Amino acid sequence: MTATSGIGTTQIASPGLLRSVFRRHAAGVAVITAPGESGPVGFTATSLTSVSAEPPMLSFGVGTGASSWPALSRADHVGVHILGEHQRELAATFARSGADRFGAPTAWREGPEGVPVLDDVLAWLVCRVVARVPAGDHRIVLAEVVVGDPAGAGRPLLYHEGGFTALRD
């Protein structure tokens, strides 16, 4: 038996291959927010990662072509919101290009450090940006946790096979 035994559709590295593989990877859904010169900005992210417990630090990826990137490239602080399975439409709104992400029915308030904080999420954090690392057509943002609330009720929203879904027992 060789190392490639059982591989039926081997492909050369490409953006399409990467997208296809990660469509198979279930990921939690978060919304990242930041204050902007023309109002708050935000986007749906599935690239959220815990980086360090001491100090408490996380990372997420953002495309440099994203509408929220100009504000995020200058923001000192960001909001990180873990969405619940009841928030599929909110996730879709923050993922949709050109959407009025902070208009009705999105419920939010100005939180610590002027960061937009979404209501009714499973958990939220306000983080201080410590680095923006170039990574192809994206930047990996490293941020240190300043304050947050982990006490929202519900189960997490997941992204899998190109759509939002929930955990099954």
Side-chain angles (χ1 to χ4, degrees):
M1 183 179 249
T2 66
T4 59
S5 179
I7 297 176
T9 58
T10 302
Q11 299 177 27
I12 300 298
S14 70
L17 172 61
L18 187 67
R19 285 186 199 101
S20 293
V21 167
F22 273 88
R23 285 176 67 92
R24 315 264 321 181
H25 174 68
V29 180
V31 168
I32 309 299
T33 62
E37 291 177 12
S38 302
V41 300
F43 69 98
T44 300
T46 57
S47 61
L48 183 64
T49 304
S50 172
V51 173
S52 169
E54 191 57 48
M57 191 174 290
L58 57 82
S59 71
F60 60 87
V62 58
T64 56
S67 61
S68 56
W69 172 243
L72 283 164
S73 72
R74 294 184 296 275
D76 292 327
H77 291 83
V78 296
V80 177
H81 307 82
I82 307 300
L83 300 191
E85 63 187 1
H86 63 287
Q87 296 178 302
R88 291 177 194 209
E89 189 52 43
L90 182 68
T93 296
F94 275 83
R96 195 170 26 254
S97 180
D100 181 6
R101 296 172 179 157
F102 290 90
T106 301
W108 66 282
R109 65 194 179 285
E110 185 175 310
E113 304 295 338
V115 171
V117 175
L118 302 176
D119 291 346
D120 198 30
V121 295
L122 295 187
W124 63 265
L125 299 166
V126 170
C127 304
R128 181 179 60 83
V129 175
V130 296
R132 295 171 184 87
V133 181
D137 61 356
H138 278 60
R139 294 297 181 268
I140 304 303
V141 177
L142 293 168
E144 186 174 351
V145 176
V146 174
V147 65
D149 182 353
R155 293 166 49 108
L157 182 64
L158 300 178
Y159 187 75
H160 182 251
E161 290 289 343
F164 299 112
T165 188
L167 289 173
R168 288 184 230 151
D169 290 328

